[in-house]
Amino acid sequence: MDQGGAPPVFSASAELDGDHLHVVVTGEVDMATADTMLQTALREPARRVTLDLRAVTFFDSAAIHAVVRLAQKFPEALTVLPSRQVARVLEISGLGGQAWYRSP
């Protein structure tokens, strides 16, 4: 169905630059899409990952779980750039002080 140029509800794309993977996520990250976000971040062999969530509009517990899994996979090599909505969820959940968290 043609949505007449409406922005996608969810997308995740990745670009590898040497050993640094930059993952850009847009839209809603929930139990239906969190695994896709995680798998996009794990698809390429990388030593460092930047997870750009600045265009994310909704972030639930499944999304939090995916970020925590990435933090475990990439200790000291993960950077998360949150939108205001994501920052609020991460701060409320007690993850705002993590080394990988960059406040908006």
Side-chain angles (χ1 to χ4, degrees):
M1 172 160 52
D2 182 13
Q3 296 182 357
V9 173
F10 169 82
S11 71
S13 61
E15 184 175 321
L16 188 61
D17 182 11
D19 67 350
H20 184 193
L21 185 66
H22 189 88
V23 180
V24 177
V25 182
T26 63
E28 299 180 357
V29 186
D30 56 22
M31 65 184 264
T33 59
D35 191 58
T36 301
M37 177 184 73
L38 177 64
Q39 294 308 315
T40 300
L42 296 175
R43 189 175 332 170
E44 300 289 339
R47 297 182 80 195
R48 294 182 303 129
V49 174
T50 297
L51 188 60
D52 186 341
L53 304 175
R54 293 177 289 187
V56 169
T57 56
F58 180 82
F59 204 72
D60 75 359
S61 61
I64 293 169
H65 181 72
V67 170
V68 169
R69 287 183 60 194
L70 282 174
Q72 292 170 340
K73 172 89 173 151
F74 298 99
E76 300 180 31
L78 175 66
T79 301
V80 175
L81 308 173
S83 65
R84 279 191 332 205
Q85 293 89 339
V86 172
R88 181 160 167 73
V89 171
L90 291 175
E91 289 166 8
I92 289 170
S93 66
L95 296 172
Q98 297 297 311
W100 44 260
Y101 176 83
R102 302 293 180 269
S103 61

